[in-house]
Short mmCIF file of all heavy atoms in Angstrom, two decimals:
data_model
loop_
_atom_site.label_atom_id
_atom_site.label_comp_id
_atom_site.label_asym_id
_atom_site.label_seq_id
_atom_site.Cartn_x
_atom_site.Cartn_y
_atom_site.Cartn_z
N MET G 736 1.78 0.55 10.12
CA MET G 736 2.98 1.32 10.42
C MET G 736 2.66 2.34 11.52
O MET G 736 1.72 3.13 11.37
CB MET G 736 3.45 2.03 9.16
CG MET G 736 4.90 2.45 9.21
SD MET G 736 5.45 3.11 7.63
CE MET G 736 5.88 1.59 6.80
N PRO G 737 3.39 2.33 12.58
CA PRO G 737 3.08 3.24 13.69
C PRO G 737 3.41 4.69 13.34
O PRO G 737 4.36 4.96 12.62
CB PRO G 737 3.97 2.73 14.82
CG PRO G 737 5.07 2.00 14.15
CD PRO G 737 4.53 1.46 12.86
N GLU G 738 2.59 5.57 13.85
CA GLU G 738 2.81 6.99 13.62
C GLU G 738 3.48 7.61 14.84
O GLU G 738 3.06 7.38 15.97
CB GLU G 738 1.47 7.69 13.37
CG GLU G 738 0.80 7.25 12.09
CD GLU G 738 -0.50 8.00 11.87
OE1 GLU G 738 -0.98 8.66 12.80
OE2 GLU G 738 -1.02 7.92 10.75
N ILE G 739 4.50 8.37 14.58
CA ILE G 739 5.20 9.04 15.67
C ILE G 739 4.78 10.50 15.66
O ILE G 739 4.98 11.20 14.67
CB ILE G 739 6.73 8.93 15.50
CG1 ILE G 739 7.15 7.48 15.22
CG2 ILE G 739 7.44 9.48 16.73
CD1 ILE G 739 6.72 6.49 16.26
N ARG G 740 4.16 10.90 16.74
CA ARG G 740 3.68 12.28 16.82
C ARG G 740 4.42 13.03 17.91
O ARG G 740 4.91 12.45 18.87
CB ARG G 740 2.17 12.28 17.12
CG ARG G 740 1.37 11.76 15.95
CD ARG G 740 -0.12 11.79 16.24
NE ARG G 740 -0.87 11.33 15.09
CZ ARG G 740 -1.27 12.12 14.09
NH1 ARG G 740 -1.00 13.41 14.13
NH2 ARG G 740 -1.94 11.64 13.08
N CYS G 741 4.44 14.35 17.71
CA CYS G 741 5.06 15.22 18.71
C CYS G 741 4.28 15.11 20.02
O CYS G 741 3.05 15.14 20.03
CB CYS G 741 5.06 16.65 18.20
SG CYS G 741 5.67 17.82 19.41
N LEU G 742 5.03 14.98 21.09
CA LEU G 742 4.38 14.82 22.39
C LEU G 742 3.70 16.11 22.84
O LEU G 742 2.82 16.09 23.68
CB LEU G 742 5.41 14.40 23.43
CG LEU G 742 6.10 13.05 23.16
CD1 LEU G 742 7.24 12.86 24.13
CD2 LEU G 742 5.12 11.91 23.26
N LYS G 743 4.12 17.21 22.27
CA LYS G 743 3.62 18.50 22.73
C LYS G 743 2.44 18.99 21.88
O LYS G 743 1.39 19.32 22.40
CB LYS G 743 4.76 19.52 22.69
CG LYS G 743 4.55 20.68 23.63
CD LYS G 743 5.83 21.52 23.69
CE LYS G 743 5.67 22.66 24.67
NZ LYS G 743 6.87 23.51 24.70
N CYS G 744 2.66 19.04 20.57
CA CYS G 744 1.62 19.60 19.72
C CYS G 744 0.93 18.54 18.86
O CYS G 744 0.03 18.87 18.10
CB CYS G 744 2.20 20.69 18.83
SG CYS G 744 3.30 20.08 17.54
N ASN G 745 1.36 17.35 18.97
CA ASN G 745 0.72 16.22 18.29
C ASN G 745 0.88 16.27 16.77
O ASN G 745 0.12 15.67 16.05
CB ASN G 745 -0.77 16.14 18.66
CG ASN G 745 -1.26 14.70 18.62
OD1 ASN G 745 -0.52 13.79 19.00
ND2 ASN G 745 -2.47 14.49 18.19
N LYS G 746 1.86 16.97 16.33
CA LYS G 746 2.13 16.95 14.89
C LYS G 746 2.76 15.62 14.50
O LYS G 746 3.61 15.11 15.22
CB LYS G 746 3.09 18.11 14.53
CG LYS G 746 3.47 18.12 13.07
CD LYS G 746 4.45 19.23 12.78
CE LYS G 746 5.11 19.08 11.41
NZ LYS G 746 4.15 19.03 10.30
N LEU G 747 2.33 15.13 13.35
CA LEU G 747 2.89 13.88 12.87
C LEU G 747 4.33 14.11 12.42
O LEU G 747 4.59 14.91 11.52
CB LEU G 747 2.04 13.35 11.71
CG LEU G 747 2.54 12.05 11.08
CD1 LEU G 747 2.44 10.90 12.08
CD2 LEU G 747 1.74 11.73 9.84
N LEU G 748 5.24 13.44 13.07
CA LEU G 748 6.64 13.64 12.75
C LEU G 748 7.11 12.66 11.69
O LEU G 748 7.73 13.03 10.71
CB LEU G 748 7.49 13.50 14.01
CG LEU G 748 7.18 14.54 15.10
CD1 LEU G 748 7.95 14.22 16.36
CD2 LEU G 748 7.53 15.93 14.63
N PHE G 749 6.82 11.42 11.89
CA PHE G 749 7.12 10.45 10.85
C PHE G 749 6.38 9.16 11.14
O PHE G 749 5.83 8.97 12.22
CB PHE G 749 8.62 10.20 10.69
CG PHE G 749 9.28 9.59 11.89
CD1 PHE G 749 9.35 8.22 12.06
CD2 PHE G 749 9.87 10.39 12.85
CE1 PHE G 749 9.96 7.67 13.16
CE2 PHE G 749 10.48 9.84 13.96
CZ PHE G 749 10.52 8.47 14.10
N LYS G 750 6.41 8.32 10.16
CA LYS G 750 5.82 7.01 10.31
C LYS G 750 6.90 5.96 10.15
O LYS G 750 7.82 6.14 9.37
CB LYS G 750 4.75 6.76 9.24
CG LYS G 750 3.52 7.61 9.40
CD LYS G 750 2.54 7.26 8.30
CE LYS G 750 1.32 8.14 8.38
NZ LYS G 750 0.38 7.84 7.28
N GLY G 751 6.76 4.94 10.88
CA GLY G 751 7.71 3.86 10.72
C GLY G 751 8.08 3.26 12.06
O GLY G 751 7.57 3.64 13.11
N GLN G 752 8.98 2.34 11.98
CA GLN G 752 9.42 1.66 13.19
C GLN G 752 10.78 2.19 13.58
O GLN G 752 11.58 2.59 12.74
CB GLN G 752 9.49 0.16 12.94
CG GLN G 752 8.10 -0.42 12.74
CD GLN G 752 8.13 -1.93 12.67
OE1 GLN G 752 9.06 -2.51 12.15
NE2 GLN G 752 7.10 -2.57 13.17
N PHE G 753 11.02 2.20 14.85
CA PHE G 753 12.28 2.74 15.34
C PHE G 753 12.67 1.99 16.59
O PHE G 753 11.84 1.36 17.25
CB PHE G 753 12.16 4.23 15.62
CG PHE G 753 11.17 4.54 16.73
CD1 PHE G 753 11.60 4.69 18.03
CD2 PHE G 753 9.82 4.66 16.46
CE1 PHE G 753 10.69 4.95 19.04
CE2 PHE G 753 8.91 4.93 17.46
CZ PHE G 753 9.35 5.07 18.76
N ILE G 754 13.91 2.11 16.92
CA ILE G 754 14.40 1.55 18.18
C ILE G 754 14.56 2.68 19.17
O ILE G 754 14.07 2.64 20.28
CB ILE G 754 15.73 0.79 17.96
CG1 ILE G 754 15.50 -0.38 17.01
CG2 ILE G 754 16.25 0.28 19.29
CD1 ILE G 754 16.77 -1.03 16.53
N GLU G 755 15.24 3.71 18.73
CA GLU G 755 15.44 4.86 19.59
C GLU G 755 15.59 6.09 18.69
O GLU G 755 16.38 6.07 17.75
CB GLU G 755 16.68 4.66 20.45
CG GLU G 755 16.65 5.52 21.68
CD GLU G 755 17.74 5.14 22.65
OE1 GLU G 755 18.44 4.17 22.40
OE2 GLU G 755 17.88 5.84 23.66
N ILE G 756 14.82 7.12 18.98
CA ILE G 756 14.88 8.31 18.14
C ILE G 756 14.98 9.55 19.01
O ILE G 756 14.62 9.56 20.18
CB ILE G 756 13.64 8.43 17.22
CG1 ILE G 756 12.36 8.39 18.05
CG2 ILE G 756 13.65 7.41 16.14
CD1 ILE G 756 11.24 9.17 17.43
N GLU G 757 15.45 10.58 18.36
CA GLU G 757 15.45 11.90 18.98
C GLU G 757 15.12 12.85 17.85
O GLU G 757 15.90 13.01 16.90
CB GLU G 757 16.82 12.19 19.59
CG GLU G 757 16.81 13.46 20.40
CD GLU G 757 18.17 13.69 21.05
OE1 GLU G 757 18.71 12.75 21.65
OE2 GLU G 757 18.70 14.80 20.94
N VAL G 758 13.96 13.46 17.91
CA VAL G 758 13.52 14.27 16.79
C VAL G 758 12.96 15.59 17.31
O VAL G 758 12.28 15.64 18.32
CB VAL G 758 12.48 13.50 15.93
CG1 VAL G 758 11.24 13.15 16.72
CG2 VAL G 758 12.11 14.28 14.67
N LYS G 759 13.30 16.63 16.58
CA LYS G 759 12.84 17.95 16.98
C LYS G 759 11.65 18.31 16.11
O LYS G 759 11.71 18.24 14.88
CB LYS G 759 13.97 18.96 16.79
CG LYS G 759 13.70 20.26 17.51
CD LYS G 759 14.92 21.18 17.40
CE LYS G 759 14.74 22.42 18.24
NZ LYS G 759 15.90 23.31 18.15
N CYS G 760 10.60 18.68 16.78
CA CYS G 760 9.38 19.00 16.05
C CYS G 760 9.57 20.30 15.26
O CYS G 760 10.01 21.31 15.82
CB CYS G 760 8.23 19.15 17.04
SG CYS G 760 6.70 19.66 16.27
N PRO G 761 9.27 20.28 13.96
CA PRO G 761 9.44 21.50 13.16
C PRO G 761 8.41 22.57 13.49
O PRO G 761 8.58 23.73 13.17
CB PRO G 761 9.27 21.00 11.72
CG PRO G 761 8.49 19.75 11.83
CD PRO G 761 8.83 19.14 13.15
N ARG G 762 7.34 22.17 14.12
CA ARG G 762 6.29 23.16 14.41
C ARG G 762 6.55 23.90 15.72
O ARG G 762 6.62 25.11 15.78
CB ARG G 762 4.93 22.47 14.45
CG ARG G 762 3.79 23.47 14.53
CD ARG G 762 2.52 22.80 15.02
NE ARG G 762 1.81 22.14 13.92
CZ ARG G 762 0.75 21.36 14.12
NH1 ARG G 762 0.30 21.14 15.34
NH2 ARG G 762 0.16 20.78 13.12
N CYS G 763 6.72 23.11 16.78
CA CYS G 763 6.84 23.75 18.09
C CYS G 763 8.25 23.68 18.67
O CYS G 763 8.54 24.31 19.66
CB CYS G 763 5.84 23.11 19.06
SG CYS G 763 6.29 21.44 19.54
N GLY G 764 9.10 22.92 18.00
CA GLY G 764 10.48 22.87 18.45
C GLY G 764 10.72 21.96 19.64
O GLY G 764 11.80 21.94 20.22
N HIS G 765 9.71 21.18 19.99
CA HIS G 765 9.86 20.28 21.11
C HIS G 765 10.73 19.09 20.71
O HIS G 765 10.55 18.51 19.65
CB HIS G 765 8.48 19.79 21.56
CG HIS G 765 8.54 18.84 22.72
ND1 HIS G 765 8.84 19.23 24.00
CD2 HIS G 765 8.34 17.50 22.77
CE1 HIS G 765 8.82 18.18 24.79
NE2 HIS G 765 8.52 17.12 24.07
N LEU G 766 11.68 18.80 21.56
CA LEU G 766 12.56 17.67 21.27
C LEU G 766 11.96 16.40 21.86
O LEU G 766 11.79 16.28 23.07
CB LEU G 766 13.95 17.94 21.86
CG LEU G 766 15.05 16.97 21.46
CD1 LEU G 766 15.38 17.10 19.98
CD2 LEU G 766 16.29 17.20 22.29
N SER G 767 11.62 15.52 20.98
CA SER G 767 11.01 14.27 21.43
C SER G 767 12.04 13.16 21.42
O SER G 767 12.72 12.94 20.43
CB SER G 767 9.85 13.89 20.50
OG SER G 767 8.88 14.90 20.48
N LYS G 768 12.12 12.53 22.55
CA LYS G 768 12.99 11.35 22.64
C LYS G 768 12.11 10.16 22.92
O LYS G 768 11.31 10.17 23.86
CB LYS G 768 14.01 11.51 23.76
CG LYS G 768 15.12 12.48 23.45
CD LYS G 768 16.09 12.52 24.62
CE LYS G 768 17.17 13.57 24.39
NZ LYS G 768 18.08 13.68 25.54
N MET G 769 12.26 9.19 22.10
CA MET G 769 11.43 8.00 22.29
C MET G 769 12.28 6.76 22.07
O MET G 769 13.19 6.75 21.26
CB MET G 769 10.28 7.96 21.29
CG MET G 769 9.32 9.10 21.45
SD MET G 769 8.06 9.00 20.19
CE MET G 769 7.59 10.72 20.11
N SER G 770 11.95 5.77 22.79
CA SER G 770 12.58 4.48 22.55
C SER G 770 11.48 3.43 22.53
O SER G 770 10.56 3.46 23.33
CB SER G 770 13.62 4.17 23.62
OG SER G 770 13.03 4.25 24.89
N ALA G 771 11.61 2.58 21.58
CA ALA G 771 10.57 1.57 21.39
C ALA G 771 10.65 0.54 22.51
O ALA G 771 11.73 0.23 23.01
CB ALA G 771 10.76 0.88 20.04
N PRO G 772 9.52 0.05 22.91
CA PRO G 772 9.54 -1.04 23.88
C PRO G 772 10.17 -2.27 23.27
O PRO G 772 10.14 -2.45 22.06
CB PRO G 772 8.06 -1.28 24.19
CG PRO G 772 7.34 -0.74 23.01
CD PRO G 772 8.18 0.41 22.51
N GLU G 773 10.72 -3.05 24.13
CA GLU G 773 11.39 -4.24 23.62
C GLU G 773 10.42 -5.13 22.88
O GLU G 773 9.31 -5.39 23.34
CB GLU G 773 12.00 -5.03 24.79
CG GLU G 773 13.36 -4.51 25.17
CD GLU G 773 14.02 -5.45 26.16
OE1 GLU G 773 13.98 -6.66 25.94
OE2 GLU G 773 14.55 -4.96 27.15
N ARG G 774 10.87 -5.52 21.77
CA ARG G 774 10.00 -6.38 20.98
C ARG G 774 9.89 -7.76 21.61
O ARG G 774 10.88 -8.35 22.01
CB ARG G 774 10.59 -6.55 19.57
CG ARG G 774 10.14 -5.45 18.66
CD ARG G 774 10.31 -5.93 17.25
NE ARG G 774 10.83 -4.87 16.39
CZ ARG G 774 11.30 -5.09 15.18
NH1 ARG G 774 11.35 -6.31 14.72
NH2 ARG G 774 11.73 -4.11 14.44
N GLN G 775 8.68 -8.18 21.65
CA GLN G 775 8.48 -9.54 22.17
C GLN G 775 8.30 -10.46 20.98
O GLN G 775 7.58 -10.13 20.05
CB GLN G 775 7.24 -9.59 23.05
CG GLN G 775 7.45 -8.83 24.36
CD GLN G 775 6.23 -8.90 25.23
OE1 GLN G 775 5.15 -9.21 24.74
NE2 GLN G 775 6.38 -8.59 26.49
N PRO G 776 8.94 -11.55 21.07
CA PRO G 776 8.77 -12.50 19.97
C PRO G 776 7.32 -12.92 19.85
O PRO G 776 6.70 -13.32 20.84
CB PRO G 776 9.69 -13.67 20.35
CG PRO G 776 9.94 -13.50 21.81
CD PRO G 776 9.83 -12.03 22.10
N LYS G 777 6.81 -12.76 18.65
CA LYS G 777 5.39 -13.03 18.48
C LYS G 777 5.05 -14.49 18.77
O LYS G 777 4.05 -14.80 19.35
CB LYS G 777 4.98 -12.67 17.05
CG LYS G 777 4.78 -11.18 16.87
CD LYS G 777 4.28 -10.87 15.48
CE LYS G 777 4.10 -9.36 15.32
NZ LYS G 777 3.70 -9.02 13.95
N SER G 778 5.88 -15.32 18.29
CA SER G 778 5.58 -16.74 18.50
C SER G 778 6.88 -17.48 18.76
O SER G 778 7.89 -17.22 18.13
CB SER G 778 4.87 -17.33 17.29
OG SER G 778 5.69 -17.20 16.15
N LYS G 779 6.81 -18.30 19.72
CA LYS G 779 7.98 -19.12 19.98
C LYS G 779 8.18 -20.09 18.83
O LYS G 779 7.24 -20.43 18.13
CB LYS G 779 7.81 -19.89 21.29
CG LYS G 779 7.87 -18.98 22.50
CD LYS G 779 7.70 -19.80 23.77
CE LYS G 779 7.71 -18.88 24.99
NZ LYS G 779 7.47 -19.63 26.22
N ALA G 780 9.39 -20.46 18.70
CA ALA G 780 9.70 -21.40 17.62
C ALA G 780 8.88 -22.66 17.82
O ALA G 780 9.08 -23.43 18.76
CB ALA G 780 11.19 -21.72 17.63
N HIS G 781 7.91 -22.76 16.96
CA HIS G 781 7.01 -23.89 17.11
C HIS G 781 7.28 -24.95 16.06
O HIS G 781 6.38 -25.51 15.45
CB HIS G 781 5.54 -23.47 17.08
CG HIS G 781 5.19 -22.72 15.83
ND1 HIS G 781 4.84 -23.35 14.66
CD2 HIS G 781 5.13 -21.40 15.59
CE1 HIS G 781 4.59 -22.43 13.76
NE2 HIS G 781 4.75 -21.24 14.28
N ALA G 782 8.55 -25.12 15.86
CA ALA G 782 8.92 -26.14 14.88
C ALA G 782 8.65 -27.51 15.50
O ALA G 782 9.31 -27.92 16.45
CB ALA G 782 10.37 -26.00 14.49
N LYS G 783 7.66 -28.10 14.97
CA LYS G 783 7.33 -29.43 15.49
C LYS G 783 8.31 -30.44 14.93
O LYS G 783 8.43 -30.61 13.73
CB LYS G 783 5.91 -29.82 15.11
CG LYS G 783 4.87 -29.08 15.93
CD LYS G 783 3.49 -29.55 15.57
CE LYS G 783 2.45 -28.79 16.41
NZ LYS G 783 1.08 -29.16 16.02
N THR G 784 8.97 -31.05 15.85
CA THR G 784 9.92 -32.05 15.40
C THR G 784 9.18 -33.34 15.09
O THR G 784 8.44 -33.87 15.92
CB THR G 784 10.98 -32.32 16.48
OG1 THR G 784 10.30 -32.52 17.71
CG2 THR G 784 11.91 -31.14 16.63
N ASN G 785 9.40 -33.73 13.92
CA ASN G 785 8.74 -34.98 13.51
C ASN G 785 9.56 -36.17 13.99
O ASN G 785 10.49 -36.61 13.35
CB ASN G 785 8.61 -35.03 11.99
CG ASN G 785 7.41 -34.22 11.54
OD1 ASN G 785 6.45 -34.06 12.31
ND2 ASN G 785 7.44 -33.75 10.32
N ASN G 786 9.18 -36.58 15.16
CA ASN G 786 9.87 -37.74 15.70
C ASN G 786 9.17 -39.01 15.26
O ASN G 786 8.47 -39.67 16.02
CB ASN G 786 9.93 -37.68 17.23
CG ASN G 786 11.01 -36.73 17.68
OD1 ASN G 786 12.00 -36.51 16.98
ND2 ASN G 786 10.82 -36.17 18.86
N ARG G 787 9.31 -39.22 14.02
CA ARG G 787 8.68 -40.44 13.51
C ARG G 787 9.72 -41.55 13.51
O ARG G 787 10.47 -41.74 12.58
CB ARG G 787 8.15 -40.22 12.09
CG ARG G 787 6.81 -39.56 12.09
CD ARG G 787 6.17 -39.71 10.73
NE ARG G 787 4.88 -39.03 10.69
CZ ARG G 787 4.11 -39.02 9.62
NH1 ARG G 787 4.50 -39.62 8.52
NH2 ARG G 787 2.96 -38.41 9.65
N GLN G 788 9.70 -42.23 14.61
CA GLN G 788 10.66 -43.33 14.70
C GLN G 788 9.95 -44.62 14.32
O GLN G 788 8.85 -44.89 14.76
CB GLN G 788 11.19 -43.45 16.12
CG GLN G 788 12.09 -42.28 16.46
CD GLN G 788 12.52 -42.29 17.90
OE1 GLN G 788 11.89 -42.95 18.71
NE2 GLN G 788 13.56 -41.56 18.21
N CYS G 789 10.62 -45.32 13.53
CA CYS G 789 10.01 -46.56 13.04
C CYS G 789 10.24 -47.67 14.06
O CYS G 789 11.35 -48.10 14.28
CB CYS G 789 10.62 -46.94 11.70
SG CYS G 789 9.74 -48.27 10.91
N HIS G 790 9.16 -47.99 14.73
CA HIS G 790 9.29 -49.04 15.75
C HIS G 790 8.92 -50.41 15.23
O HIS G 790 9.04 -51.39 15.93
CB HIS G 790 8.37 -48.71 16.94
CG HIS G 790 8.87 -47.58 17.75
ND1 HIS G 790 10.03 -47.64 18.48
CD2 HIS G 790 8.38 -46.34 17.92
CE1 HIS G 790 10.21 -46.48 19.08
NE2 HIS G 790 9.24 -45.67 18.74
N THR G 791 8.39 -50.40 14.07
CA THR G 791 7.94 -51.70 13.55
C THR G 791 9.13 -52.49 13.01
O THR G 791 9.82 -52.06 12.10
CB THR G 791 6.91 -51.50 12.43
OG1 THR G 791 7.49 -50.61 11.48
CG2 THR G 791 5.62 -50.95 12.99
N ILE G 792 9.35 -53.55 13.65
CA ILE G 792 10.44 -54.42 13.20
C ILE G 792 9.82 -55.70 12.70
O ILE G 792 9.18 -56.44 13.46
CB ILE G 792 11.43 -54.72 14.34
CG1 ILE G 792 12.00 -53.39 14.85
CG2 ILE G 792 12.52 -55.65 13.86
CD1 ILE G 792 12.79 -53.55 16.12
N LEU G 793 9.94 -55.92 11.46
CA LEU G 793 9.33 -57.11 10.88
C LEU G 793 10.33 -58.23 10.85
O LEU G 793 11.44 -58.09 10.35
CB LEU G 793 8.85 -56.81 9.45
CG LEU G 793 7.71 -55.77 9.38
CD1 LEU G 793 7.45 -55.43 7.94
CD2 LEU G 793 6.47 -56.33 10.03
N ARG G 794 9.90 -59.32 11.44
CA ARG G 794 10.78 -60.47 11.42
C ARG G 794 10.15 -61.62 10.69
O ARG G 794 8.98 -61.83 10.80
CB ARG G 794 11.12 -60.90 12.84
CG ARG G 794 12.08 -59.97 13.49
CD ARG G 794 12.64 -60.55 14.76
NE ARG G 794 13.63 -59.62 15.34
CZ ARG G 794 14.26 -59.90 16.47
NH1 ARG G 794 14.05 -61.01 17.12
NH2 ARG G 794 15.13 -59.04 16.92
ZN1 ZN Z 321 5.40 19.81 18.23
#
């Protein structure tokens, strides 16, 4: 879990994930605005299609 710290005094403000936050540090009063970088998909859909076509034609 990522830790969000004050940019000015480095106080731990909270832990967790966020998209966009605006938080005022209780210690120094610095207003921190942060926005998370765009999430990149960890893995592309690697659903292997089972193309098992039956070519064997028995006559
Ligand atoms: Zn601070």
Side-chain angles (χ1 to χ4, degrees):
M736 200 173 276
E738 294 182 347
I739 311 303
R740 291 181 178 273
C741 175
L742 298 171
K743 203 171 182 182
C744 70
N745 210 37
K746 177 183 167 57
L747 179 66
L748 298 173
F749 64 88
K750 291 181 183 178
Q752 292 187 325
F753 64 94
I754 298 169
E755 202 170 355
I756 55 150
E757 188 177 312
V758 62
K759 195 174 186 180
C760 176
R762 189 199 277 173
C763 71
H765 179 73
L766 190 67
S767 301
K768 286 182 185 177
M769 297 178 205
S770 55
E773 275 189 45
R774 273 201 221 167
Q775 290 180 342
K777 281 184 181 177
S778 60
K779 290 180 182 177
H781 56 85
K783 286 183 180 176
T784 49
N785 279 333
N786 282 333
R787 278 195 182 180
Q788 291 174 341
C789 190
H790 288 294
T791 52
I792 301 170
L793 294 173
R794 286 193 177 179

